[in-house]
Amino acid sequence: PGGDALAAAAALGLAAMMLGLHGASGFLYCGGFLLAAWLTVLLILSGLQPATVAQRLLESACMRWAGTRSFALYLWHWPVVVWLRPAGHDGMELLVGTLARLAAMAIAAELSFRLVEEPLRRAGPDPLGRSHARAIAAGAVVGTCALAMLQLERDPAPAAATLQGYFGERVLELPAPAARPELLLGAVA
């Protein structure tokens, strides 16, 4: 019984934070993330208590799936969130967009798990050789940077708005590319 009450309190606290706060909330950076971490610890600890609802929930097939694919979910969540950003603020559009992002993350994580992680895990130590692994790592870094640059080039406003949300009015406005012709390729000084 005590474990269930602890789990319910922790889950309600986490749900309230997820629904009531946004990424630029000052509270998050002044102890909010620490509070979320402690609430998560309490939720997990309550799941260690035998015969609790939290234990049954954490041992469910859905949670086991998420646990085995947690690294892939971690890797894919941000690109999916950025690429599938909702256009409007209508409640239904946000709900549908959130469900689409969750589905895309699950699909990408499953594909990554089955096509990359599992084959490499089954192949044993050093399956590709050190030189191939370094080439793949370098390609992944370059590809990720290229995608990030394309995203910023496509729409720099959210990045500037996020920075302004974090740092307030102290953020300087970035000049438009046309305002700085010396940065354009082929410009003659």
Side-chain angles (χ1 to χ4, degrees), residues 5-33:
L6 184 64
L12 284 173
L14 285 169
M17 289 181 74
M18 285 188 273
L19 295 173
L21 300 173
H22 56 84
S25 294
F27 170 73
L28 288 176
Y29 301 95
C30 296
F33 283 125

Side-chain angles (χ1 to χ4, degrees), residues 85-95:
R85 191 174 51 231
H89 297 289
D90 177 70
M92 184 54 97
E93 186 176 335
L94 290 174
L95 175 65

Side-chain angles (χ1 to χ4, degrees), residues 12 24 29 52-53 66 86 91 97 101 127 153 161 169 171 173 176-177 181-182:
L12 284 173
Y29 301 95
T52 60
V53 174
R101 286 191 297 276
E153 180 66 29
E169 296 300 321
V171 175
E173 290 293 322
E182 69 274 11

Side-chain angles (χ1 to χ4, degrees), residues 31 38 69 77 100 110 118:
W38 278 110
R69 285 138 182 95
H77 87 277
E110 184 65 27
E118 280 297 302

Side-chain angles (χ1 to χ4, degrees), residues 96-111:
V96 171
T98 299
L99 293 175
R101 286 191 297 276
L102 288 172
M105 281 184 258
I107 291 167
E110 184 65 27
L111 289 173

Side-chain angles (χ1 to χ4, degrees), residues 97-141:
T98 299
L99 293 175
R101 286 191 297 276
L102 288 172
M105 281 184 258
I107 291 167
E110 184 65 27
L111 289 173
S112 178
F113 179 77
R114 288 180 186 245
L115 300 176
V116 178
E117 289 182 52
E118 280 297 302
L120 287 174
R121 191 174 291 124
R122 281 193 302 267
D126 205 18
L128 301 175
R130 295 210 183 272
S131 62
H132 289 96
R134 286 186 187 123
I136 290 170
V141 168

